[in-house]
Amino acid sequence: MRKLMINETFLDTEADSYMTRRETNAVVIHHTGTLEDADVSADEIDCTHKGLGWTGIGYHYVIRKDGTIERGRPHSAIGAHAYGRNSDTIGIALSGNFELTEPTPQQIESTALLTAHLTYRYEIPIDATHILGHRDINATACPGRNLGRMLPTIIGKAIWYQEH
């Protein structure tokens, strides 16, 4: 499998302030949904989420428009991204508003590669039951219609990455 490069963000987090995820059964894909389709960073999302009174960024990973993968919430922590499924999922957010625009090809490739690594690590099947859009869990438009329709492509690419 191709090597995965993750930019460590060293967000100001207290490791003790997060509960540890005991099981990992699915990956949930999000978009940041900013009004102006901004290419927001994990650090910017962390500041926004802390401003809402959260412990920190709710997503485990953020994928920027150039395909860069940034670490968000500590990998082993329970997320704050999909109500009712935070305790057994990993959250990946792609920067952008995919109700308005398309994800970049770099974002799709990085999402597929990260998904391949996560599903391998946690022995999660790579299928539409285990690789979900946020809207598959909660009443929301997230991950946006343009990213949502690309989830089968991400799943197919993730399978290919695991095999190669």
Side-chain angles (χ1 to χ4, degrees):
M1 191 171 355
R2 199 169 113 194
K3 185 173 169 122
L4 183 65
M5 300 292 295
I6 298 173
N7 283 3
E8 295 297 338
T9 54
F10 304 106
L11 298 175
D12 182 23
T13 59
E14 299 281 331
D16 296 343
S17 62
Y18 294 105
M19 294 178 60
T20 301
R21 193 177 58 257
R22 299 203 188 291
E23 59 182 343
T24 306
N25 299 314
V27 175
V28 181
I29 309 294
H30 303 264
H31 71 159
T32 56
T34 56
L35 292 177
E36 65 286 343
D37 189 45
D39 186 20
V40 294
S41 68
D43 184 56
E44 291 170 298
I45 297 168
D46 185 57
C47 289
T48 299
H49 287 182
K50 284 179 177 173
L52 296 172
W54 298 9
T55 303
I57 187 171
Y59 312 113
H60 297 91
Y61 299 95
V62 175
I63 301 180
R64 307 290 299 277
K65 289 188 178 280
D66 68 359
T68 299
I69 302 170
E70 296 178 343
R71 188 167 318 274
R73 184 170 281 232
H75 185 78
S76 62
I78 291 175
H81 60 91
Y83 183 77
R85 290 295 305 272
N86 287 319
S87 65
D88 75 326
T89 61
I90 291 182
I92 302 172
L94 282 68
S95 289
N97 184 334
F98 303 121
E99 283 292 305
L100 303 174
T101 63
E102 300 280 332
T104 67
Q106 297 92 333
Q107 285 178 304
I108 296 303
E109 290 302 320
S110 291
T111 303
L113 182 60
L114 177 58
T115 298
H117 278 268
L118 293 171
T119 54
Y120 179 80
R121 178 176 180 175
Y122 292 104
E123 299 179 358
I124 300 169
I126 307 176
D127 59 32
T129 303
H130 297 89
I131 312 303
L132 305 164
H134 186 192
R135 68 181 179 200
D136 296 323
I137 297 171
N138 301 124
T140 179
C142 181
R145 67 179 167 265
N146 295 320
L147 177 54
R149 69 177 170 74
M150 297 190 80
L151 290 178
T153 300
I154 291 168
I155 290 168
K157 287 177 175 283
I159 291 168
W160 187 89
Y161 278 125
Q162 261 198 17
E163 293 173 352
H164 297 89

